[in-house]
């Protein structure tokens, strides 16, 4: 429980942070909330030589409207997602997922950027951010790029983040009036999602106009359940449709199995939770 | 002075603990202190071909690396302290550091000592051990199978012990109207007290004295055993356990680590600290439970139980831990009949070596394993004969007028009123209404389950004669000294060694009431072999029943001495002086009295004492109880099962406990709550899992599910009071009742909820997947 020797640097600006990661590519790690990085270091599963704390980097903070999207700084804490009025209005699904993360300390420390860059396959926020069509704004000394979250997440603890890049913010389309729900089956030990399903539905004259279903805990990375979504568009979400669409929520996914849940059971749980999340999201529109 | 016994006095130790001013072992800081880290085996079973410590030794700040070879002939073997008679116990050597062979993941092979923790940790990684992996066996039944790899060459078939009590002939079962048979698995648990183990040792080369601060439930036992391992005279060794952050049995045991640290301090002439980290705790500190039990019950259709036969295989791990052989035998096998009058009963136990972390006492130690099987069997029997499980319990209870009751194994229960506790619980939950609600909800596709556990347990471990008879290599009496200073302030020295139980409060309450001295004037001192004459420690819910009784006796001695002094000073006959609320009063003469503290001052001044009375005001007692105590009660769990996922929700929990005369209801409630939480933990979440290769698969809180506050509804507690006739306080002990009672209550509730699917039994923990598979007829997880 003692990390390898490392050097700690507190960056005062985004430029400074970018310089530091560029100087030691692959050897430096950004420290956000630290609730994933520090445990990994203590177990010596991560052994960065440089730890760059971005606590004071103003460019990574703040939630604001930018036309059709909401800009959410990478250093936004779960707690802020849960309480921010803009998020509540335009992207409430993120707040619902944040609410289900860990415990109070974790929600007070953990950040949007940390959650997405860490890419734990059982983390909550990725499911909700996927179902919110989040796009990532990444910066490096080389420039800036945008990437869809679905492309960014690659596998367990693996992303498309380049060694010299910093995640600055995420951009989510503003979707007031959508029905949203996040349903999670927490692991009794870790509290992470054995299965977590985030559903967002837009309705038009009683029918599903658009639906986004993000799933976590089930596969090597959080994913969008396209097969389920396809079956729902244009329907009135009656029970048979709902069941049939939920039943294919794990189609094409190499389903995880562990001590707690076999693949068979997890597949069943995913279908059950997809059904519950979709029904709840639908009910939220009706309400 | 108000009566204090029975009052919900707040725990006085909390003031320092909650602000972080406790003095735990890791808080001990000594000049020149250095740090030890153990190098542990990653293999369950391997031959050590060689150890290369050269790189570690070359690292700046590294002082020494010790290996098993270095310690041969220097340190003794770590012994077990329980040798049950007629058990053919195979005691195999347990060297503090493995010499040729490692026998479990976590077995220590080397100790690195360095100037700071960080260097020590890095150096430990630099020690290269050349292992030749060998076949391993982790599962208790696999270990007794033909051809299983042997853990110790001198324990054939991996049988560490074979023990039997009672005999029930086959005819009893052949002739019975109803026979119920079930195989149960008591899964392995990992204690996980909040504070892992730790030790700091300091050697005084001038006097040869060695002081060891350590996480101990029983410092005097540790001193006794450590003196043997270290080869140091017992009076030159001091063991101190100041604040200890929980133990749950795991800090009874004597481990190699503390002896190694002490040895290093002696050799290096520097104070040495070792603190187990949480990952290390998972494999290096003893585990609990881990039985397979085959149980048969014979009874009549009218609900009468006629006989019980138990055969159990207990996994003891790779070495015999301190109390390990006694836990699945004496503390389990002699009480499997529970609170029921079962005319014939027998227990047969095989203690089995495996390539796993040693197993020893874990909160309840043996009694949860016994209570679980009998309480489950009652429900299975009730189901078989179509009777309400409450009725079956009632019908077989030892009736109130049959105490003292001697059970089929010769154990004599002190006192009890099982019916009353059950009745109280039934009223509290409104049983009839609850059953109606269950039926109504079932019709709506919701599945409520109601489970009972009407337990009795055997605790207050003592007397010493019994300890001897059952092979415990120690005494089970307790020592107390009450020292009244000239100013009337009181110090109490107890051999009990609280580590979370609140005795600094309860013991002060007892003394305050017995002596009529203000509570604030009393300090309770514990956990230091140099300050306390003798002690056998805190486990088996014995501190109050035995240690508290020692205190009551010592107080009584002081009161009597004071009475003679007071009578002399008041010029009255001793018989004419009464002691009430802290004052000696001449009967019928209200203005002629002396307070206890004034008398204490006179005793110290000794200007004018009655003839034959020695100066001073101090008394001791070495209290040897006449029997165990037998707390009992009824616990009821109400659960709801989600058939779609198998998830179990604990909706309500009612506990009616009878622990004799209550000293402090607040502390009792705390003990009951904590115990229940751990008991429910076993039922629903906890379980150490080993792979077939002997690798522990649950190695952190990410996969070993500790109970969390949010998993629980408010726990409802009530009490009945049936004093124990076996001690002067009438107390019974309450440290383990919750753990003992809760597990079967919850499992019975879940199985009750699963009635519509005809599920007879599921092994613990009742994870959602297990329950879901049972509901959907899917068989075990493949
Ligand atoms: C007890 C506990 C319980 C938890 N329970 C849950 C749970 O139930 N559900 C859940 O989803 N999570 C849970 N978590 C994880 C928690 O959500 C983490 O905090 C989160 O996943 C990571 O966020 P962080 O801000 O702490 O990131 P850090 O730990 O600081 O960083 C994580 C990774 O992301 C990188 N990183 C962070 N920010 C940036 C950036 N701006 N640019 C580039 N790289 C970056 C870091 O370098 C590191 O590799 C739990 C954690 C703990 C300790």
């Amino acid at each position: 429980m003692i990390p390898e020797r490392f050097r700690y640097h507190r960056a005062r600006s985004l430029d400074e942070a970018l310089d530091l990661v560029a100087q030691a590519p692959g050897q430096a790690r950004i420290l956000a909330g630290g609730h994933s990085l520090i445990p990994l270091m203590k177990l010596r599963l991560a052994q960065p030589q440089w730890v760059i704390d971005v606590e004071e980097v103003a460019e990574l903070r703040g939630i604001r409207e930018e036309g059709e999207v909401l800009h959410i700084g990478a250093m936004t804490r779960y707690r802020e997602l849960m309480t921010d009025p803009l998020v509540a209005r335009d992207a409430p699904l993120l707040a619902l997922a944040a609410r289900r993360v860990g415990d109070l300390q974790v929600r007070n420390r953990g950040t949007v950027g940390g959650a997405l860059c860490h890419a734990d396959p059982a983390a909550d926020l990725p499911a909700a951010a996927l179902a919110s069509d989040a796009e990532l704004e990444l910066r490096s000394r080389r420039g800036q790029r945008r990437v869809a979250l679905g492309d960014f997440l690659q596998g367990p603890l693996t992303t498309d983040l380049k060694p010299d890049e910093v995640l600055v913010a995420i951009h989510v389309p503003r979707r007031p009036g959508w029905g949203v729900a996040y349903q999670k089956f927490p692991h009794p030990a870790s509290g992470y999602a054995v299965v977590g399903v985030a559903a967002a539905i837009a309705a038009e004259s009683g029918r599903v106009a658009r639906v986004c279903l993000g799933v976590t805990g089930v596969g090597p990375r959080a994913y969008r359940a396209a097969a389920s979504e396809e079956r729902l568009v244009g329907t009135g979400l009656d029970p048979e449709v709902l069941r049939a669409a939920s039943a294919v929520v794990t189609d094409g996914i190499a389903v995880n199995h562990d001590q707690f849940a076999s693949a068979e059971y997890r597949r069943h749980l995913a279908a059950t939770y997809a059904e519950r999340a979709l029904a709840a999201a639908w009910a939220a529109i009706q309400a | 002075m108000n009566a204090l016994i029975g009052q919900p006095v707040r725990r006085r130790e909390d003031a320092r603990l909650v602000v972080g001013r406790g003095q735990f072992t890791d808080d001990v800081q000594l000049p020149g202190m250095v740090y030890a880290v153990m190098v542990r085996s990653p293999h369950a079973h391997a031959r050590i071909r060689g150890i290369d410590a050269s790189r570690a030794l070359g690292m700046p700040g590294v002082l020494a690396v010790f290996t098993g070879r270095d310690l041969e002939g220097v340190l003794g073997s770590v012994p077990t302290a329980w040798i049950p008679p007629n058990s053919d116990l195979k005691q195999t050597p347990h060297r503090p550091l493995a010499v040729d062979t490692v026998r479990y993941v976590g077995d220590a092979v080397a100790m690195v000592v360095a100037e700071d923790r960080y260097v020590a940790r890095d150096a430990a990684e630099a020690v290269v051990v050349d292992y030749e992996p060998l076949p391993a066996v982790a599962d208790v039944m696999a270990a007794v199978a033909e051809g299983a790899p042997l853990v110790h060459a001198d324990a054939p078939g991996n049988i560490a012990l074979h023990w039997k009590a009672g005999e029930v002939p086959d005819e009893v079962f052949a002739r019975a109207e109803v026979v119920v048979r079930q195989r149960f698995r008591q899964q392995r648990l990992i204690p996980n007290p909040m504070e892992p183990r730790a030790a700091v040792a300091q050697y005084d080369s001038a006097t040869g004295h060695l002081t060891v601060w350590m996480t101990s439930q029983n410092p005097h036992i540790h001193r006794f055993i450590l003196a043997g391992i270290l080869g140091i005279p017992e009076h030159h060794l001091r063991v101190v356990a100041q604040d200890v952050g929980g133990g749950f049995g795991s800090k009874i045991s004597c481990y190699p680590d503390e002896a190694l640290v002490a040895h290093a301090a002696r050799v290096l002439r520097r104070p040495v600290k070792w603190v187990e980290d949480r990952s290390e705790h998972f494999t290096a500190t003893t585990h609990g439970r881990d039985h397979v039990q085959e149980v048969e019950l014979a009874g009549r259709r009218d609900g009468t139980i006629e006989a019980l036969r138990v055969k159990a295989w207990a996994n003891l791990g790779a070495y015999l831990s301190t109390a390990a052989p006694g836990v699945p035998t004496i503390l389990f096998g002699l009480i499997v009949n529970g609170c029921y009058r079962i005319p014939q009963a027998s227990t047969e136990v095989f203690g089995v070596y495996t390539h796993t972390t040693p197993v020893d006492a874990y909160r309840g130690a043996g009694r949860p394993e016994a209570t679980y099987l009998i309480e489950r069997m009652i429900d299975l029997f009730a189901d078989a004969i179509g009777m309400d499980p409450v009725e079956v319990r009632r019908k077989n209870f030892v009736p109130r007028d049959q105490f003292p009751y001697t059970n089929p194994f010769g154990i004599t229960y002190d006192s009890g009123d099982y019916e009353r506790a059950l009745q109280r619980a039934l009223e509290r939950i409104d049983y009839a209404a609850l059953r109606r609600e269950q039926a109504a909800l079932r019709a709506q596709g919701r599945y409520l389950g109601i489970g009972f556990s009407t337990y009795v347990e055997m605790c207050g471990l003592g007397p010493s004669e019994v300890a001897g008879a059952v092979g415990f290599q120690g005494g089970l009496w307790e020592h107390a000294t009450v020292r009244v200073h000239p100013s009337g302030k009181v110090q109490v020295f107890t051999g009990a060694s609280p580590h979370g139980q609140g005795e600094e409060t309860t013991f002060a309450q007892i003394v305050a009431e017995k002596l009529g001295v203000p509570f604030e004037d009393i300090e309770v001192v514990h956990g230091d072999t140099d300050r306390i004459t003798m002690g056998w420690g805190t486990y088996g819910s014995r501190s109050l029943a035995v240690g508290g009784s020692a205190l009551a006796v010592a107080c009584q001695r002081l009161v009597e001495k004071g009475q003679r002094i007071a009578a002399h000073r008041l010029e009255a006959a001793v018989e004419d002086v009464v002691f009430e609320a802290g004052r000696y009063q001449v009967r019928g003469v209200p203005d002629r009295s002396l307070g206890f503290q004034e008398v204490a001052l006179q005793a110290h001044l000794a200007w004018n004492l009655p003839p034959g009375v020695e100066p001073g005001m101090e008394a001791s007692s070495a209290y040897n109880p006449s029997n165990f105590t037998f707390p009992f009660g009824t616990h009821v769990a109400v659960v709801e099962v989600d058939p779609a996922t198998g998830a179990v929700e604990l909706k309500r929990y009612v506990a009616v406990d009878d622990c004799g005369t209550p000293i402090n209801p607040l502390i009792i409630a705390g003990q009951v709550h904590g115990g229940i939480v751990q008991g429910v933990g076993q039922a629903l979440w906890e379980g150490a899992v080993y792979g077939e290769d002997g690798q522990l698969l649950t190695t952190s809180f990410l996969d070993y599910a500790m109970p969390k506050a949010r998993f629980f509804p408010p726990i409802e507690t009530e009490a009945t009071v049936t004093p124990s006739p076996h001690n002067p306080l009438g107390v019974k002990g309450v440290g383990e009742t919750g753990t003992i009672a809760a597990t079967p209550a919850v499992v019975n509730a879940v199985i009750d909820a699963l009635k519509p699917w005809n599920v007879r039994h599921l092994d613990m923990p009742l994870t959602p997947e297990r329950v879901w598979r049972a509901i959907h007829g899917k068989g075990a997880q493949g």
Side-chain angles (χ1 to χ4, degrees), chain A residues 33-247:
Chain A
H35 273 46
S36 294
L37 182 59
I38 303 287
L40 282 183
M41 288 170 63
K42 285 174 119 181
L43 293 167
R44 299 194 168 197
L45 296 173
Q47 307 184 330
Q49 291 176 12
W50 285 84
V51 168
I52 297 150
D53 189 342
V54 290
E55 176 89 42
E56 288 179 25
V57 176
E59 295 95 321
L60 303 184
R61 294 195 172 273
I63 299 173
R64 56 183 182 267
E65 266 179 80
E66 284 180 354
E68 289 306 298
V69 302
L70 212 56
H71 168 111
I72 300 174
M75 279 302 282
T76 302
R77 316 270 179 194
Y78 292 121
R79 170 87 196 150
E80 293 169 69
L81 285 182
M82 287 160 58
T83 51
D84 185 87
L86 292 177
V87 174
R89 190 190 65 197
D90 294 338
L93 184 52
L94 299 179
L96 290 182
R99 205 181 293 278
R100 301 300 307 275
V101 172
D103 51 38
L104 196 67
Q105 290 96 318
V106 177
R107 294 191 294 271
N108 280 338
R109 291 292 302 165
T111 64
V112 169
L116 300 181
C117 293
H118 184 59
D120 190 304
D124 297 295
L125 196 67
L130 279 171
S132 307
D133 286 316
E135 200 179 58
L136 279 57
E137 179 186 335
L138 300 159
R139 264 304 175 88
S140 72
R141 274 273 148 265
R142 295 173 289 118
Q144 172 179 335
R145 66 179 177 122
R146 294 221 177 180
V147 54
L149 178 59
D151 297 326
F152 182 74
L153 300 175
Q154 295 185 333
L157 311 192
T158 318
T159 66
D160 181 37
L161 184 80
K162 304 291 182 269
D164 62 347
E165 276 180 332
V166 172
L167 172 65
V168 175
I170 66 167
H171 300 264
V172 292
R174 297 172 45 213
R175 288 171 171 174
W178 285 47
V180 295
Y182 182 63
Q183 293 277 329
K184 172 183 185 181
F185 191 101
H187 190 291
S190 67
Y192 280 83
V194 176
V195 163
V197 181
I201 305 176
E204 252 171 48
S205 42
R207 310 233 137 230
V208 175
R210 288 177 66 191
V211 56
C212 304
L213 204 58
V215 182
T216 189
V218 175
R221 59 192 184 93
Y223 65 93
R224 279 281 288 269
S228 301
E229 292 174 4
E230 278 164 26
R231 288 175 192 232
L232 292 165
V233 176
T235 72
L237 215 80
D238 38 287
E240 294 86 88
V241 172
L242 182 56
R243 196 156 312 130
S246 301

Side-chain angles (χ1 to χ4, degrees), chain B residues 16-88:
Chain B
R16 73 168 185 279
L17 295 176
V18 298
V19 299
R21 300 228 175 92
Q23 270 294 312
F24 295 90
T25 302
D26 197 17
D27 292 315
V28 175
Q29 300 294 350
L30 299 171
M33 191 163 74
V34 295
Y35 298 82
V37 168
M38 306 299 162
V39 178
R40 299 188 183 278
S41 170
H43 299 284
H45 190 199
R47 202 175 333 272
I48 301 173
R49 287 210 206 92
I51 300 177
D52 179 1
S54 53
R55 198 160 78 77
L57 281 166
M59 293 168 74
V62 173
L63 298 171
V65 177
F66 296 84
T67 67
R69 287 250 175 269
D70 303 333
L71 302 179
E72 273 187 308
V74 178
L75 291 187
S77 187
V78 182
T80 185
W82 204 328
I83 306 169
N86 307 317
S87 68
D88 192 19

Side-chain angles (χ1 to χ4, degrees), chain A residues 1-4 43-44 185 187-192 258-262 264-265 268-269 272-273 276, chain B residues 117-118 121-122 125 277 279 642 644-645 685 689 697 701-705 708 711 768-769 772-773 778 781:
Chain A
M1 297 300 244
I2 292 178
E4 284 268 5
L43 293 167
R44 299 194 168 197
F185 191 101
H187 190 291
S190 67
Y192 280 83
D258 53 31
Q259 284 305 319
F260 184 74
S262 66
E264 180 190 12
Y265 177 62
H268 164 77
L269 269 189
T272 306
Y273 273 68
R276 289 180 181 181
Chain B
R117 294 180 193 221
Y118 309 98
R121 188 79 192 71
D122 287 343
E125 298 219 330
D277 66 29
S279 309
D642 177 351
T645 63
W685 307 294
V689 181
L697 303 176
F701 290 144
L702 286 175
D703 34 33
Y704 186 88
K708 320 262 186 314
F711 299 171
E769 175 157 9
W772 176 77
R773 284 187 176 275
K778 286 188 178 283
Q781 177 177 332

